Each structure stands twice: as structure tokens, then as C-alpha cells.
């Protein structure tokens, strides 16, 4: 099945700093999403971005599908940005996914923002 | 408000006592799915449903059952829960399965089996 690798595994920042999180995937995808898991365990949709670039406030994301990676940018980080950031992909049917529509998650990046 | 809801949000139970975790979505989505999240193992798919009366196994289906009698509901059934099913469970839905469909997740159900 498709493999998803996220880096870095851990990231510690001071409030106000900028950061870039990376997601590499091993095969063609038809869906790529970024999530933020808050301290209460909820998965918050950040971006649906199988290709291209999107921005939402202080967050932006870019996916280069042909090179099989995606980047999540966080600018002017705040303490409320703390949590785990997941990248999740769904492989194309022709890539041999065993469950059409299944999201394969990376292991996440644990972000801690200190005041 | 478009959303996926799960109930209960927290549950502590004992081994062998049958339980059901409900999942409902109000977006008229065809595709629904269950995942479990465990430390060190990440999120893994349990079962999914492409449409009413159509369900199939994901990566870790053992010990679980599902049904899809109505489009909006996709309950997860643990007939005889065991401690290794202690986990954080998420229900998800999307308009269609497959190409270019964003998935939306419920708030999660934290289950402890003693």
C-alpha cells in the first residue's frame, strides 16, 4: 500500500515563529488532506489539497503531486496551534489501494508552541 | 451545520459486554468509514461503506461489525469487546468514495474496555 512519511516528528517553537511541515508519499494520490488533532483528540480539517496551493489565514499548504510531497506552512505560530498535524492520502485506484477511498495517515508531527 | 456526529464520546465498559457506537452525518454523503487510533500505530481503517447496504472490511476489521441501513447512519458494533479494542475511534464521511473527495471526521469516541 501507499506509504506516507511526515517530518519532522517533533517541533518546538516560540510563539510568533514560522514553520514548515513536510509530507512525502510513495505513489500517485487522488486525495491529500492536512489535519490538526487538538489536545482533546478531535481531528480538524485544515486543507483538502490533492494538488496546488491553498491559504487559510496563517496557514497555507502546497502539494506537488508529480514529486509526491506536500508542505504545510504555519506563520506567526500561536500556542493554540499546538497539537499533532497529520497528512493523509488516498491512493489512486490504479495504484492498487486495497480500500477505495481509504485515507492512509502519516505518523504526524507533534507541534509545541511556547508562549 | 454540516457535520459528522458520534455517540457516545466517552465510554468505559467491561470485557464481553456488547456495545454500539453510533455515527451520523447530515451531508447526504455516500461514503462512510470507521478508523481507530492507537499510540505508535496511527489511524487505521476498520470498515467502510460505499453506499446503503454496501460495506467492506478495512485493515483491522476483526472484532467489529457494521451496518448501513440508512444513508446517514453507520454504527460500529463490538459484539464482545476486549481490552485490545481500547482505542480512540473516528467515523468519517465523504460525498463519494475515491477520486478527489474530501473526508470529514466526527469528534471521536474514546473507548476503554476493562
Amino acid at each position: 500500500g501507499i506509504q506516507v512519511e511526515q517530518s519532522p516528528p517533533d517541533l518546538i517553537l516560540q510563539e510568533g515563529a514560522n514553520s514548515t511541515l513536510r509530507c512525502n508519499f510513495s505513489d500517485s494520490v487522488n486525495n491529500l488532506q492536512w489535519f490538526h488533532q487538538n489536545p482533546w483528540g478531535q481531528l480538524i480539517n485544515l486543507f483538502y489539497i490533492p494538488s496546488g496551493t491553498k491559504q487559510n489565514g496563517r496557514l497555507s499548504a502546497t502539494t506537488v503531486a508529480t514529486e509526491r510531497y506536500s508542505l504545510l506552512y504555519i506563520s506567526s505560530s500561536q500556542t493554540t496551534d499546538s497539537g499533532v498535524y497529520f497528512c493523509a492520502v488516498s491512493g489512486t485506484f490504479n495504484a492498487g489501494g486495497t480500500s477505495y477511498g481509504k485515507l492512509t495517515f502519516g505518523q504526524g508531527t507533534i507541534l509545541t508552541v511556547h508562549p | 451545520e454540516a457535520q459528522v456526529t458520534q455517540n457516545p464520546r466517552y465510554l468505559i465498559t467491561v470485557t464481553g459486554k456488547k456495545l454500539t457506537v453510533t455515527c451520523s452525518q447530515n451531508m447526504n454523503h455516500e461514503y462512510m468509514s470507521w478508523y481507530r487510533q492507537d499510540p505508535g500505530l496511527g489511524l487505521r481503517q476498520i470498515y467502510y461503506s460505499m453506499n446503503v447496504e454496501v460495506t467492506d472490511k478495512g485493515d483491522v476489521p476483526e472484532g467489529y461489525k457494521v451496518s448501513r441501513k440508512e444513508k446517514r447512519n453507520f454504527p460500529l458494533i463490538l459484539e464482545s469487546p476486549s481490552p485490545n479494542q481500547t482505542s480512540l475511534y473516528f467515523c468519517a464521511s465523504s460525498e463519494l468514495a475515491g477520486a478527489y473527495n474530501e473526508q470529514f471526521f466526527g469528534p471521536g469516541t474514546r473507548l476503554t474496555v476493562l
Side-chain angles (χ1 to χ4, degrees):
Chain A
I2 197 165
Q3 305 295 315
V4 182
E5 289 186 9
Q6 290 186 243
S7 60
D10 296 275
L11 188 57
I12 300 174
L13 301 174
Q14 286 296 127
E15 204 166 26
N18 302 329
S19 61
T20 300
L21 283 58
R22 187 177 179 101
C23 171
N24 293 331
F25 42 95
S26 61
D27 216 326
S28 303
V29 298
N30 58 28
N31 180 3
L32 189 146
Q33 293 183 238
W34 283 97
F35 297 91
H36 174 213
Q37 188 166 38
N38 64 22
W40 295 271
Q42 295 177 322
L43 284 171
I44 311 300
N45 284 40
L46 295 178
F47 293 102
Y48 166 67
I49 187 166
S51 64
T53 297
K54 290 186 177 180
Q55 180 157 7
N56 184 3
R58 296 182 295 103
L59 303 182
S60 63
T62 295
T63 297
V64 184
T66 53
E67 297 187 22
R68 298 182 183 168
Y69 74 89
S70 183
L71 302 174
L72 177 68
Y73 305 96
I74 305 174
S75 65
S76 304
S77 57
Q78 301 175 357
T79 56
T80 51
D81 294 332
S82 296
V84 185
Y85 289 80
F86 288 104
C87 167
V89 304
S90 176
T92 59
F93 189 71
N94 289 334
T98 57
S99 171
Y100 199 45
K102 177 184 78 172
L103 285 176
T104 299
F105 283 76
Q107 289 300 306
T109 292
I110 302 172
L111 174 64
T112 305
V113 181
H114 290 302
Chain B
E1 180 190 354
Q3 59 182 349
V4 179
T5 57
Q6 295 179 226
N7 282 292
R9 295 287 313 282
Y10 303 91
L11 179 61
I12 300 174
T13 188
V14 296
T15 298
K17 185 176 181 181
K18 181 179 178 180
L19 67 91
T20 299
V21 183
T22 65
C23 173
S24 183
Q25 48 89 9
N26 63 1
M27 297 171 278
N28 201 37
H29 284 174
E30 289 193 356
Y31 182 87
M32 298 185 74
S33 179
W34 277 101
Y35 293 81
R36 60 178 288 175
Q37 184 179 20
D38 302 289
L41 297 175
L43 283 101
R44 297 174 291 168
Q45 191 184 51
I46 303 171
Y47 268 95
Y48 65 97
S49 171
M50 305 278 272
N51 213 326
V52 176
E53 302 292 1
V54 181
T55 63
D56 209 344
K57 298 176 181 179
D59 296 324
V60 288
E62 295 78 20
Y64 304 94
K65 286 176 57 177
V66 293
S67 68
R68 187 93 181 273
K69 292 182 170 48
E70 304 167 282
K71 199 170 188 177
R72 63 182 293 132
N73 296 323
F74 190 44
L76 180 70
I77 304 159
L78 286 71
E79 295 269 4
S80 183
S82 62
N84 64 13
Q85 293 178 297
T86 293
S87 188
L88 178 58
Y89 291 87
F90 290 100
C91 180
S93 75
S94 66
E95 185 174 359
L96 297 169
Y100 304 106
N101 279 279
E102 184 176 8
Q103 294 201 22
F104 298 87
F105 280 73
T109 295
R110 199 171 291 275
L111 173 65
T112 301
V113 183
L114 303 175

